[in-house]
Amino acid sequence: MKRRLFLIVAIATSMALSAQNYNVGSSTTSRDVFGNETTTHRNQYGQTTGTSNTSTDVFGHQNTVHKDSYGRTIGTSTTTTDVFGNRQTVHKDAYGRTIGTDRSSTDVFGKTTTTHQDRYGVTTGTSRSETDVFGTTTTTHQNQYGQTTGKSRSETDVYGNRKTQQQGSSQNSSIWTW
């Protein structure tokens, strides 16, 4: 009886773990000769859901304009980096209202932890990233309760183009702000 119960628990655990591997979308980023980046976001069916265009100003701030699939601006993000290498990204909606903030820091092992907060400063989740020797970055996304909500894997080709594949805990989940 114990052996049968263990087998049932093992199968249920396996099914629960496999349920966290839904393909929820992808993004492809390309960079021009001026260092500007264009990211195309796609859903799990390969349909374009929006684009993000990033440029860097003379102060080193990264400014990103997010657009939906019809080309309408739905928000902006501004990223600044302090002298310690910590990054802060402020997200705003189409009307210029702050809707969230991301704060990232990298430890001595090269692992990056990002804390996501809503417009009120309440933590809504975290993302932890690490890059292997091949340059592949794997990020684990968690909600405010520490539960894993998804993972993403980014690879950069020899031309500097970056492809990110996203997996979520359900077919309807999204681990991206935009």
Side-chain angles (χ1 to χ4, degrees):
M1 184 65 180
K2 285 185 178 179
R3 188 173 290 172
R4 189 175 298 167
L5 181 60
F6 175 78
L7 183 60
I8 292 172
V9 171
I11 291 172
T13 302
S14 174
M15 290 174 66
L17 290 175
S18 65
Q20 295 183 359
N21 290 324
Y22 288 107
N23 170 23
V24 295
S26 64
S27 63
T28 305
T29 302
S30 59
R31 181 177 294 187
D32 65 20
V33 293
F34 302 104
N36 301 315
E37 291 186 345
T38 299
T39 302
T40 302
H41 306 281
R42 293 182 176 86
N43 62 18
Q44 62 267 45
Y45 307 109
Q47 301 164 321
T48 298
T49 57
T51 58
S52 299
N53 298 303
T54 303
S55 60
T56 304
D57 63 23
V58 293
F59 302 104
H61 303 148
Q62 288 184 315
N63 302 297
T64 303
V65 177
H66 306 282
K67 296 182 179 181
D68 65 14
S69 57
Y70 301 103
R72 298 175 298 205
T73 297
I74 56 174
T76 60
S77 300
T78 302
T79 301
T80 56
T81 305
D82 66 20
V83 292
F84 302 104
N86 301 315
R87 292 161 53 101
Q88 176 174 288
T89 302
V90 177
H91 303 287
K92 296 183 179 182
D93 64 16
Y95 303 103
R97 299 174 297 205
T98 298
I99 58 174
T101 304
D102 297 334
R103 291 181 172 84
S104 301
S105 61
T106 303
D107 64 21
V108 292
F109 302 104
K111 296 180 180 179
T112 300
T113 300
T114 303
T115 301
H116 309 285
Q117 297 178 325
D118 64 15
R119 70 184 68 198
Y120 304 109
V122 177
T123 297
T124 58
T126 57
S127 300
R128 292 181 173 84
S129 304
E130 53 185 305
T131 303
D132 63 22
V133 293
F134 302 104
T136 300
T137 300
T138 302
T139 303
T140 301
H141 306 275
Q142 297 178 322
N143 61 19
Q144 64 268 43
Y145 306 110
Q147 301 165 323
T148 298
T149 57
K151 292 189 175 184
S152 57
R153 178 185 171 100
S154 298
E155 298 177 334
T156 304
D157 63 21
V158 293
Y159 303 104
N161 300 316
R162 187 171 64 251
K163 174 73 182 284
T164 302
Q165 187 65 46
Q166 309 157 24
Q167 293 181 335
S169 55
S170 72
Q171 288 177 315
N172 297 322
S173 65
S174 175
I175 56 177
W176 293 103
T177 305
W178 304 99

